[in-house]
Amino acid sequence: MTEHATSDERRPANRGPRAAAGNRAALVTAAREVYAAHGLDAPLSAIARRAGVGQGVLYRHFPDRDAVAAAVLEENVRQIEQAAAAEDATPDGVLGVLTWHLAQSAAFIGLLHADGASGRSTTGHAYARDLSERVERALRGCLPDGHRLADDLMLAVAMVSGAVTGPTPETREHRAVAAWRLLGVTVGPVRPFAG
Amino acid sequence: MTEHATSDERRPANRGPRAAAGNRAALVTAAREVYAAHGLDAPLSAIARRAGVGQGVLYRHFPDRDAVAAAVLEENVRQIEQAAAAEDATPDGVLGVLTWHLAQSAAFIGLLHADGASGRSTTGHAYARDLSERVERALRGCLPDGHRLADDLMLAVAMVSGAVTGPTPETREHRAVAAWRLLGVTVGPVRPFAG
Amino acid sequence: MTEHATSDERRPANRGPRAAAGNRAALVTAAREVYAAHGLDAPLSAIARRAGVGQGVLYRHFPDRDAVAAAVLEENVRQIEQAAAAEDATPDGVLGVLTWHLAQSAAFIGLLHADGASGRSTTGHAYARDLSERVERALRGCLPDGHRLADDLMLAVAMVSGAVTGPTPETREHRAVAAWRLLGVTVGPVRPFAG
Amino acid sequence: MTEHATSDERRPANRGPRAAAGNRAALVTAAREVYAAHGLDAPLSAIARRAGVGQGVLYRHFPDRDAVAAAVLEENVRQIEQAAAAEDATPDGVLGVLTWHLAQSAAFIGLLHADGASGRSTTGHAYARDLSERVERALRGCLPDGHRLADDLMLAVAMVSGAVTGPTPETREHRAVAAWRLLGVTVGPVRPFAG
DNA sequence: AATGAATGAGGATTCATTCAT
DNA sequence: GATGAATGAATCCTCATTCAT
């Protein structure tokens, strides 16, 4: 009857197993961008589209939507851990990296608020707590004994994250730094960790 | 086409126009509870159900989702304004009331985070800013000149709100108080404003 | 809890039985205007609002939505009948009145298409047929014997009504006249019947 | 929040992408039938159901209601164009095909009435105009110069479409032919175009 | 007799997730 | 391993209609 639709088009070709790793990375990157632009409730289809893959691929790599968010956060946390583990790590420097991630990523902020009752899945909670603890361990490891905030480390982080609002990363960065200052803490350069 | 019919079955009774005011109040209360339990994205139908009214009633009283949230926040803000306007208002006391609302209401916290890029409506933003300013005015009005936080009042509030996480109001209350302490501020009794 | 809403306002006062007839007329007028502006599917609430009465009044006068449309058409048809019954009635003149109604009223056009399967109620159909017959009788009564269209009177009317499209009454009027011309018929001045 | 879950129950089987083209065709066919039976305002869900697909499929193929109607009309118009482009095309023959479509399809008639103020979308209007012009071009292309209706071609078509009412295609066909006759035009066999 | 609130069914639309290819 | 179509539940929102006052 009608012209026969969409499906006979040429498929982009199966790039084989080699692409798998790349796809995963592309998805995480895409997720970070989409989350930043549209919040954590963005449709998964948008993430897949931006990553340039089909939705099936997303599900191959991540069992459900929480897993996607987790993967994004995982990266944030890992960078902080690396910054803290670096030989020349300084408290200021590590906080700078932490702050950069806070200012950068809506998802990362969401994490620190996740345990409130915001209708996220239970698994999500467990995972969030885990990530939170890893951040704490990393920070504590490089703070001098008896630091003013030692006993309230994650509380302070949560407070700063609360201050991190605003439309652009720049605004958010400024507010984050101001928040640390209000807590009597100086942070080093706000930037991602680069080896 | 539109049949929108009514099954001739028994309807749950129309309590008549007299119920209108009560219904609105019930909706606001229900909204507060549902927001607390499921976050600001909770379905409106859940709110209507909990208020014991049909969905239409919700839409009669509030044109859209934002209006519902606004009504909830309006109440919070008004209490703070009243606390600040009271004759015997003290900074500590007003902050106690503010803190109570922060600890109480997921929605109120959300407000202070609303300007991040979380896909909320533009109208919502304008309204949120307005409420935020009212809180600031109220607080500033009762703070002594040259108060330590004077220049960063709303930043401090945002920070405390960031600290307010946790499953129960009690937990959240504790964390809020701890957060203020970290900022060098003592708050009065954490409780709603009562005349 | 909240400020008590809407219902305590002053009611516009019950103007008593005297208003009833006026209300009915206002509703029919309002319906005609609303239909013209938004089509036959316009919400009844819009009609009641424009008539300046509550929805209950609408239902007091008309059992359902079809009855409202019927009342509007009734008026159209009656004018045509009156034009045809007038002492100095001429075929041209009556057709002019008919044409005016066609060009004026989306609802009237809809009527002539109503017997197609357009999801209208069955009662509606019966009523539509009835009105249609009244128009036919009126026209036939003033047409000279052996008129060119005598055998196809309502077919011709339907054809003209098919031609009556366009955003403004003026456009529609022009097209209606052109359509009659194409059928070899001259119509008198296109205008409502006025005594 | 968005649980959009799938009951683990058995789903009716995913016939896979191969079904896509077939589904689109089924939807267009279903739409034509549903439109004929219930008018252009028929619920989209009814169309999906009749096509035997989920509602999502409908939305995958057509962005909105207008797109569905457009797809149906597109087919009608294309047949007319093909009939007009055929080598042995005669005016009578093409009008026969046109008439068949008029008598067949409530939607097609609706098209020619679409510009009245019936609350249809603006995009819809543009598209309707476009289709209308295609019909005109097709007709004009095969009419002898100086044909009696040349200057009023689409007016005549609209008039005939106005005459096309009645419960069954047969009735509608008869009335259409009678209408053409009243305009002094003879039409060829009323039937779809078949190559 | 009028008002306008309440009810709730129905229709539109969006996505999470599965799965044929 | 990838693709992207299909599924359908859930949510939003809009009215037709009833009925307390």
Side-chain angles (χ1 to χ4, degrees), chain D residues 94-112:
Chain D
V94 176
L95 285 178
V97 172
L98 168 63
T99 302
W100 185 82
H101 284 289
L102 283 178
Q104 207 60 29
S105 161
F108 195 35
I109 300 172
L111 156 72
L112 299 157

Side-chain angles (χ1 to χ4, degrees), chain A residues 73-154:
Chain A
L73 299 173
E74 176 69 29
E75 255 194 35
N76 293 340
V77 171
R78 191 148 43 214
Q79 280 214 8
I80 293 166
E81 289 178 327
Q82 289 176 339
E87 261 195 54
D88 55 349
T90 63
D92 288 14
V94 177
L95 286 178
V97 173
L98 168 63
T99 302
W100 186 82
H101 283 289
L102 283 178
Q104 206 60 31
S105 160
F108 194 36
I109 300 173
L111 156 72
L112 298 156
H113 289 212
D115 46 346
S118 3
R120 292 274 149 244
S121 79
T122 326
T123 345
H125 278 200
Y127 199 79
R129 182 165 41 255
D130 179 48
L131 289 179
S132 189
E133 277 162 15
R134 283 170 57 193
V135 172
E136 179 162 19
R137 247 191 321 275
L139 287 181
R140 199 173 298 286
C142 73
L143 241 53
D145 284 350
H147 185 281
R148 185 174 124 53
L149 297 180
D151 291 341
D152 301 293
L153 204 45
M154 291 313 283

Side-chain angles (χ1 to χ4, degrees), chain A:
Chain A
M1 280 244 98
T2 0
E3 86 283 27
H4 278 219
T6 32
S7 93
D8 285 339
E9 330 275 313
R10 196 143 295 303
R11 305 203 153 193
N14 183 335
R15 300 201 321 303
R18 307 300 303 283
N23 280 344
R24 191 182 194 282
L27 281 165
V28 173
T29 302
R32 194 188 302 283
E33 292 163 354
V34 170
Y35 285 156
H38 300 90
L40 280 171
D41 287 337
L44 294 187
S45 57
I47 295 174
R49 194 171 336 116
R50 176 173 262 262
V53 303
Q55 301 202 189
V57 174
L58 191 153
Y59 277 89
R60 164 167 299 277
H61 290 291
F62 308 102
D64 58 26
R65 58 178 306 123
D66 289 331
V68 180
V72 171
L73 299 173
E74 176 69 29
E75 255 194 35
N76 293 340
V77 171
R78 191 148 43 214
Q79 280 214 8
I80 293 166
E81 289 178 327
Q82 289 176 339
E87 261 195 54
D88 55 349
T90 63
D92 288 14
V94 177
L95 286 178
V97 173
L98 168 63
T99 302
W100 186 82
H101 283 289
L102 283 178
Q104 206 60 31
S105 160
F108 194 36
I109 300 173
L111 156 72
L112 298 156
H113 289 212
D115 46 346
S118 3
R120 292 274 149 244
S121 79
T122 326
T123 345
H125 278 200
Y127 199 79
R129 182 165 41 255
D130 179 48
L131 289 179
S132 189
E133 277 162 15
R134 283 170 57 193
V135 172
E136 179 162 19
R137 247 191 321 275
L139 287 181
R140 199 173 298 286
C142 73
L143 241 53
D145 284 350
H147 185 281
R148 185 174 124 53
L149 297 180
D151 291 341
D152 301 293
L153 204 45
M154 291 313 283
L155 182 65
V157 172
M159 290 173 71
V160 174
S161 92
V164 176
T165 62
T168 67
E170 289 70 36
T171 322
R172 296 200 289 267
E173 211 170 293
H174 273 127
R175 289 177 56 89
V177 172
W180 283 118
R181 184 167 354 106
L182 221 50
L183 285 169
V185 173
T186 325
V187 298
V190 175
R191 64 181 176 208
F193 175 68

Side-chain angles (χ1 to χ4, degrees), chain D residues 77-91 93-95 97 134-143 193 195:
Chain D
V77 171
R78 190 146 44 211
Q79 280 215 8
I80 293 166
E81 289 178 327
Q82 288 176 340
E87 264 199 48
D88 54 349
T90 64
V94 176
L95 285 178
V97 172
R134 283 171 58 192
V135 173
E136 179 162 18
R137 245 192 321 275
L139 287 181
R140 200 173 295 287
C142 73
L143 242 52
F193 175 69

Side-chain angles (χ1 to χ4, degrees), chain D residues 89-155:
Chain D
T90 64
D92 288 15
V94 176
L95 285 178
V97 172
L98 168 63
T99 302
W100 185 82
H101 284 289
L102 283 178
Q104 207 60 29
S105 161
F108 195 35
I109 300 172
L111 156 72
L112 299 157
H113 289 212
D115 46 347
S118 2
R120 291 271 145 248
S121 82
T122 326
T123 346
H125 279 200
Y127 199 77
R129 182 165 39 256
D130 179 48
L131 289 179
S132 190
E133 277 163 14
R134 283 171 58 192
V135 173
E136 179 162 18
R137 245 192 321 275
L139 287 181
R140 200 173 295 287
C142 73
L143 242 52
D145 283 352
H147 184 283
R148 183 174 125 53
L149 296 180
D151 291 341
D152 301 294
L153 203 45
M154 291 314 283
L155 183 65

Side-chain angles (χ1 to χ4, degrees), chain C residues 4-134:
Chain C
H4 278 218
T6 33
S7 93
D8 285 339
E9 330 276 313
R10 194 144 297 301
R11 302 206 156 190
N14 184 336
R15 299 201 323 299
R18 307 299 304 280
N23 281 345
R24 193 184 192 284
L27 280 165
V28 173
T29 301
R32 194 189 301 282
E33 292 163 353
V34 169
Y35 285 155
H38 300 91
L40 280 171
D41 287 337
L44 294 187
S45 56
I47 294 173
R49 195 170 337 115
R50 177 173 261 261
V53 302
Q55 301 202 188
V57 174
L58 190 153
Y59 277 89
R60 163 168 301 276
H61 290 291
F62 309 101
D64 57 28
R65 55 177 308 120
D66 289 329
V68 179
V72 171
L73 299 172
E74 175 70 29
E75 255 195 34
N76 293 339
V77 171
R78 191 149 41 214
Q79 279 215 9
I80 293 166
E81 289 177 327
Q82 289 177 338
E87 261 194 55
D88 54 349
T90 64
D92 288 14
V94 177
L95 286 178
V97 172
L98 168 63
T99 302
W100 187 82
H101 283 290
L102 283 178
Q104 206 61 29
S105 161
F108 194 36
I109 300 173
L111 156 72
L112 298 156
H113 287 213
D115 47 346
S118 9
R120 291 275 150 243
S121 79
T122 326
T123 344
H125 279 200
Y127 200 78
R129 184 167 36 257
D130 179 48
L131 289 179
S132 191
E133 276 162 16
R134 284 170 58 193

